[in-house]
Amino acid sequence: MCNGIIETVSKAFRAHTSATKQSFLLLLVLAVVSTGQGSGCVRPYMVQNSWVNLTETNRGLFPVGTVLQYSCDPGYLPDGPSILTCTTLGRWSSEPPHCIRSGACLPLSKPENGGYTCHPSPCRMFSHGTVIEFFCDEGFILSGDYNYLTCQDGQWDGPMQMTCVSQGCVRPSLVQHGSTNLTDTNRSLFPVGTVLQYNCDPGYLPAGPSILTCTTLGRWSSQPPHCVRSDVYICLNTCIYFALIIWIEQTQ
Ligand SMILES: *[C@@H]1O[C@H](CO)[C@@H](O)[C@H](O)[C@H]1NC(C)=O
Ligand SMILES: *[C@@H]1O[C@H](CO)[C@@H](O)[C@H](O)[C@H]1NC(C)=O
Ligand SMILES: *[C@@H]1O[C@H](CO)[C@@H](O)[C@H](O)[C@H]1NC(C)=O
């Protein structure tokens, strides 16, 4: 009888301790949850003209790994990722997308040696009304008359291919025993498309291309030639010729 009482008491005690443990654990969980660190993500904000598959409307915090999908209403398109995951950092993998009226324009590629900025910024989606402003890197200028393009009902209002052309090539180096037909001695930059010709002094011959063009990259099409004394030049070619013959004879 006495044993029976002891058993009941100890059972009750054990039950009590496990209940304490449980409430302790619950408290711990609540504490972790309330600090919001690594425990879950807070309800993301509502997005106009969209629907998200969150059916539990009363919940404030969603566990790590929860996946949400945003869908835009008909006639609207998301401007960013529409699937969000709750990461271990307690943050959604991205901001919810905005749902923007469709009528978007095709994305534009950035010009070489330049780029563009969008208004409104940043460039996420080229929706109706988006204005794009082009710019070029230093030393380059936009070719053509347009600096801006506006998206109007799915169409850009100007040419989609913008190019940044170099403002010119710097004066090429002087060549010993030669000259160029660049008579404009005060100029330091020569516009893209400038053609120049090197001429070697009498008795000298050019080694390398003697006609250079200023390319859109702001560089001459090649290095200036060397002016080589014609007897050396002929000798060089002859020497190479004889060296080849000797080499061929030796290898046979
Ligand atoms: C929402 O939809 C996504 C993708 O279809 C699915 O993976 C996810 O489990 C859904 N989330 C909820 C809370 O129903
Ligand atoms: C070159 O520059 C000098 C000094 O700046 C000036 O006096 C001269 O007239 C210029 N020559 C030409 C051809 O423009
Ligand atoms: C130099 O000569 C080339 C080839 O004759 C010609 O095409 C070019 O226009 C000339 N350039 C200048 C600056 O006179």
Side-chain angles (χ1 to χ4, degrees), residues 66-165:
T66 301
V67 176
L68 298 182
Q69 180 161 31
Y70 283 84
S71 316
C72 289
D73 293 343
Y76 291 83
L77 289 170
D79 71 344
S82 54
I83 290 188
L84 273 60
T85 308
C86 177
T87 68
T88 50
L89 298 172
R91 283 198 293 266
W92 296 103
S93 51
S94 62
E95 293 280 299
H98 293 122
C99 287
I100 289 176
R101 232 190 72 199
S102 45
C105 292
L106 286 175
L108 292 176
S109 51
K110 300 201 165 178
E112 252 185 84
N113 305 303
Y116 56 68
T117 55
C118 296
H119 310 278
S121 177
C123 306
R124 285 178 83 177
M125 199 175 181
F126 304 105
S127 51
H128 175 78
T130 298
V131 175
I132 279 186
E133 183 180 0
F134 289 88
F135 62 85
C136 291
D137 297 342
E138 216 185 314
F140 290 84
I141 46 167
L142 276 171
S143 74
D145 311 325
Y146 296 84
N147 286 25
Y148 295 92
L149 287 181
T150 307
C151 174
Q152 287 178 340
D153 287 317
Q155 294 287 320
W156 292 111
D157 66 348
M160 284 176 60
Q161 196 53 55
M162 293 283 179
T163 41
C164 288
V165 294

Side-chain angles (χ1 to χ4, degrees), residues 175-181 197-210 224-230 233:
V175 164
Q176 269 194 323
H177 309 295
S179 59
T180 70
N181 63 348
Q197 181 163 27
Y198 279 90
N199 288 304
C200 291
D201 296 343
Y204 290 85
L205 288 170
S210 56
H226 290 286
C227 287
V228 183
R229 251 172 60 193
S230 44
Y233 187 92

Side-chain angles (χ1 to χ4, degrees), residues 181-183 194-197 211:
N181 63 348
L182 281 182
T183 45
T194 300
V195 176
L196 73 92
Q197 181 163 27
I211 291 187

Side-chain angles (χ1 to χ4, degrees), residues 183-186:
T183 45
D184 208 347
T185 48
N186 278 1

